[in-house]
Amino acid sequence: MTALDVVTAADRSDDLLDSYASWVATLPIQPSVRQDRVWRAARFLTAHPDIEVWMGRPTPARLADLHRVRAWPFVTWLFVAGWVRPDLELVAAKPGGVDLPAAWAAANAGDVERVAACGVGMGWSENWIHQVAVLALSLVAVVTGKTLAVLNDADFDTVIAECDRAAGISTSARVRLHTRIFALRHICFQLGVCDPPPRMAGPSARSAAEHAETIRQLDIR
């Protein structure tokens, strides 16, 4: 890394922190909480001034970095605001309580409403509509860096391929992601966003030994 690269990374880090602080100032939370969020973002950027370089770190290391300074609110803002496009493995590995789907949905309420309305018309339950219109849509949107209107079939193929490559996603979580993304793709077909009707691609056949490896209980395996 050259001296110019260091200055550029530092300048970008300052821009990120200034923009984040301005956004946090608009939140309906206590002043002390605002200060805490900005302070944690500053600590994170001090350790990792070049976000793109940090995104190249292994997922377990990034999760540890975020946990260490409790910087998930900051990176959530980065993803939703479009400063950085995350990989699916990191998004899928976020711990409980991280409000990335809710934050994205609040910033893109119109997209959520379009998908939810279509789900209502198809007779889906409220819970399943939430899983598709908020959880699946936010994931596909931040990973592709696109809004609902400009998604296409190639984007869904890319997200599914990334899901299948992600080593940190369990088999059960991968199945849930596939199912939600397929339902979202079906909605996009209904809305005219995607052209051909989607087809559910089932998992490849596994041998008995491969199936047994997914069973955690040793005696049952």
Side-chain angles (χ1 to χ4, degrees):
M1 180 178 288
T2 67
L4 179 59
D5 291 330
V6 172
V7 172
T8 301
D11 289 344
R12 179 173 169 81
S13 176
D14 290 341
D15 290 342
L16 288 176
L17 188 58
D18 289 343
S19 296
Y20 180 63
S22 296
W23 178 77
V24 169
T26 68
L27 298 178
I29 54 180
Q30 293 294 326
S32 59
V33 178
R34 294 194 192 106
Q35 293 172 3
D36 183 69
R37 288 195 179 188
V38 175
W39 178 75
R40 294 186 184 283
R43 282 191 63 194
F44 178 82
L45 287 171
T46 297
H48 309 284
D50 192 322
I51 295 296
E52 297 295 346
V53 171
W54 177 78
M55 287 295 293
R57 284 165 59 78
T59 298
R62 288 181 292 168
L63 291 173
D65 294 338
L66 293 169
H67 176 74
R68 188 174 300 114
V69 295
R70 291 191 288 171
W72 268 108
F74 173 58
V75 297
T76 291
W77 172 80
L78 288 177
F79 300 157
V80 173
W83 285 89
V84 182
R85 186 188 303 181
D87 54 277
L88 185 143
E89 186 172 61
L90 179 62
V91 175
K94 62 180 176 54
V98 173
D99 61 354
L100 174 58
W104 186 91
N108 298 271
D111 285 357
V112 174
E113 290 169 3
R114 285 187 69 194
V115 173
C118 194
V120 170
M122 296 174 68
W124 290 357
S125 69
E126 183 176 346
N127 175 61
W128 185 238
I129 288 172
H130 174 78
Q131 291 191 47
V132 176
V134 176
L135 303 185
L137 182 56
S138 64
L139 181 144
V140 171
V142 297
V143 169
T144 61
K146 293 185 173 182
T147 56
L148 176 65
V150 294
L151 287 175
N152 56 47
D153 292 290
D155 293 322
F156 282 97
D157 292 339
T158 298
V159 171
I160 288 296
E162 192 170 336
C163 175
D164 292 340
R165 286 195 306 268
I169 300 178
S170 68
T171 300
S172 60
R174 186 172 286 112
V175 170
R176 287 196 298 273
L177 286 172
H178 270 262
T179 304
R180 289 172 182 166
I181 293 169
F182 173 81
L184 176 61
R185 192 169 188 169
H186 185 66
I187 288 285
C188 287
F189 168 70
Q190 295 292 332
L191 294 174
V193 175
C194 295
D195 292 328
R199 298 192 324 175
M200 175 66 84
S204 57
R206 291 183 294 180
S207 67
E210 290 172 329
H211 179 68
E213 286 300 317
T214 67
I215 301 173
R216 294 185 178 181
Q217 295 89 343
L218 188 59
D219 291 342
I220 297 176
R221 188 190 310 163

